[in-house]
Amino acid sequence: EAGVTQSPTHLIKTRGQQATLRCSPISGHTSVYWYQQALGLGLQFLLWYDEGEERNRGNFPPRFSGRQFPNYSSELNVNALELEDSALYLCASSLHRGPSTDTQYFGPGTRLTVL
Amino acid sequence: AQSVSQHNHHVILSEAASLELGCNYSYGGTVNLFWYVQYPGQHLQLLLKYFSGDPLVKGIKGFEAEFIKSKFSFNLRKPSVQWSDTAEYFCAVNANQAGTALIFGKGTTLSVSS
């Protein structure tokens, strides 16, 4: 069974540009989560999508946004990029069928570098 | 707000030594608890998890963790580490509601020398 996949692996942008990151969940999983792993800050929750809806977001500005498609894949968009957005962006997916099944499985991440 | 503390930033051990990594969380309600591992050059992988029941849970590669509710702790243990256990270890918590975000600790880097 394929795991969570993310693309691209690396992304280099300049300040002010927009970045789009993509995630495909494990087959059958309906929930997708986005996390930012920045140097010195650890893993921080960004966004949660389930059944096409944004269910929760972390303490990040509105220029971090995304969506979930009917096939449950997801996109994370970061507008007006700033240098401090440079980080590894991780996507995770889960079944979301109740607490005992809600284990999140992570993809390999997209390394975003803002110059 | 929920938070997770991992007390050891960097642990250095020799092969065959025993390992215990501390994890404490702050949340008054029912929680789900996880340990994830990130081997060099690899993505974050689930090591073990606790939802309910026996507070001593066993995971992959000989790891185990004990949930002590009174101490708000979920420490990770392994009786005898191997060089291949060199990795970064993350403790994570979410409230016992389906789909809530994981709150991660800052991580502990384990270096095992052969």
Side-chain angles (χ1 to χ4, degrees), chain B residues 2-4 23-27 31-34 91-95 100-105:
Chain B
Q2 297 176 51
S3 66
V4 177
C23 173
N24 287 87
Y25 65 93
S26 66
Y27 181 69
V31 293
N32 299 325
L33 298 154
F34 306 83
C91 180
V93 170
N94 69 5
T100 55
L102 286 170
I103 307 300
F104 282 88

Side-chain angles (χ1 to χ4, degrees), chain A residues 33 35 48 99 102-104 106, chain B residues 36 43 49 51 96 99 101-102:
Chain A
Y33 305 78
Y35 293 85
W48 167 37
D102 198 33
T103 299
Q104 295 178 30
F106 285 80
Chain B
Y36 286 88
H43 64 276
K49 60 186 177 183
F51 286 107
N96 193 16
L102 286 170

Side-chain angles (χ1 to χ4, degrees), chain B residues 14 46 55 58 62-63 66 86 100 114:
Chain B
S14 300
L46 181 69
K58 295 191 184 300
F63 285 91
E66 185 176 12
T86 295
T100 55
S114 56

